[in-house]
Amino acid sequence: MATPTERRLPQYRPDPDGTHPPLDYAPYRSTTLRHPTQPLVLLPQMLTEVTGPLLGPGRLGELDNDLTRQHAGEPQGQRIIVTGRLLDGDGRPIRDSLVEIWQANAGGRYRHTGDRWPSPLDPNFDGLGRTLTDGDGRYEFTTIKPGAYPWKNHDNAWRPAHIHFSVFGSAFTQRLVTQMYFPDDPLFSQDPIFNSIPDEKARQRMISRFDLDRTEEEWALAFQFDIVVRGREQSVFEDEEEDE
């Protein structure tokens, strides 16, 4: 039986089918400065890194998963409900997992000191949320549909509307980050982040599905976005957290 100091995080097989983007992708100019230029070094995981900090329900607030009710006033824009399941490679639910999101507001502006393009900030919208998956691996957020925004990567560059997702295992070292897009966005064809995914089927797994059944009449539209952490149908994950 392994002693506490001998415990290790699970090792994942290399991406065999072009699901994930390359670390250096010339059309996405930031990767030139961000990608590793030396061989990666495997750092051993000690007990504190594998088991902590705690990510349970005691760390969540009542309105953490409803981004439309975190301030005294209502945010501007189209209310949406985003639901989905967090699954492993065999389709089994991943329970009690922390799911976090961050996004731009309806005008395509982040509440961030580095975002200075002339679209107004919304005083009633921070763009941050988190929740835990239930016994069936389900999560739910109520938020505002984000707007597109310019990002100066290339001539007349605009990012498609998207929401960033972060999912955790039992510790911060067990974290995966992806992005959710919306159906029929006209900006897909010119977005190098979306198109850095080599496999077309994998790109389509990043696009949410409109969910009429989950829509609330006279209140909010709904979109479904499942996240699969391993296997042939796995979601696309970032190797490093990006600002855009």
Side-chain angles (χ1 to χ4, degrees):
M1 181 175 179
T3 65
T5 56
E6 293 174 334
R7 293 180 182 176
R8 295 182 180 180
L9 290 175
Q11 299 297 308
Y12 298 103
R13 292 176 299 221
D15 170 29
D17 59 0
T19 296
H20 303 302
L23 292 175
D24 186 16
Y25 184 68
Y28 181 13
R29 297 191 314 190
S30 295
T31 62
T32 301
L33 301 175
R34 294 176 177 176
H35 83 279
T37 58
Q38 300 294 328
L40 300 182
V41 177
L42 179 63
L43 298 177
Q45 305 294 331
M46 306 304 289
L47 181 62
T48 55
E49 295 164 318
V50 176
T51 60
L54 296 177
L55 303 174
R59 303 299 178 106
L60 300 180
E62 180 183 359
L63 302 178
D64 280 2
N65 73 327
D66 189 341
L67 285 67
T68 69
R69 298 171 58 206
Q70 295 173 352
H71 293 272
E74 292 192 30
Q76 296 295 311
Q78 171 66 62
R79 283 184 293 267
I80 61 173
I81 299 167
V82 180
T83 64
R85 299 183 72 198
L86 182 62
L87 306 168
D88 67 15
D90 296 318
R92 294 173 298 195
I94 300 177
R95 305 175 179 87
D96 303 318
S97 181
L98 180 64
V99 181
E100 296 181 332
I101 63 171
W102 65 98
Q103 63 170 93
N105 65 22
R109 180 88 179 266
Y110 286 98
R111 186 176 292 279
H112 189 281
T113 56
D115 192 344
R116 299 296 181 87
W117 84 283
S119 179
L121 286 172
D122 187 335
N124 294 310
F125 189 76
D126 291 336
L128 302 171
R130 58 183 180 172
T131 191
L132 290 175
T133 57
D134 66 12
D136 292 323
R138 298 185 184 279
Y139 71 86
E140 179 176 318
F141 291 98
T142 301
T143 184
I144 296 295
K145 186 175 182 181
Y149 58 83
W151 64 304
K152 300 181 180 180
N153 182 78
H154 52 275
D155 182 52
N156 197 23
W158 291 78
R159 292 260 19 239
H162 61 279
I163 297 177
H164 297 267
F165 274 75
S166 167
V167 297
F168 286 91
S170 60
F172 278 167
T173 53
Q174 300 168 330
R175 185 191 186 210
L176 296 170
V177 176
T178 189
Q179 295 185 27
M180 183 197 97
Y181 295 90
F182 292 87
D184 303 320
D185 197 304
L187 294 172
F188 285 150
S189 62
Q190 60 89 63
D191 182 58
I193 296 182
F194 180 78
N195 290 295
S196 68
I197 311 305
D199 182 67
E200 170 63 22
K201 292 182 178 179
R203 287 197 295 272
Q204 294 304 310
R205 293 197 293 271
M206 299 172 68
I207 302 174
S208 60
R209 299 181 298 279
F210 177 65
D211 187 353
L212 182 62
D213 291 338
R214 192 62 184 83
T215 294
E216 294 190 10
E217 187 174 359
E218 298 186 17
W219 181 252
L221 297 178
F223 295 87
Q224 183 178 347
F225 183 64
D226 294 337
I227 302 173
V228 182
V229 299
R230 299 183 69 183
R232 296 177 62 182
E233 299 299 319
Q234 68 177 310
S235 301
V236 177
F237 297 110
E238 301 174 4
D239 290 283
E240 292 184 339
E241 183 177 338
E242 304 289 358
D243 294 333
E244 280 75 47

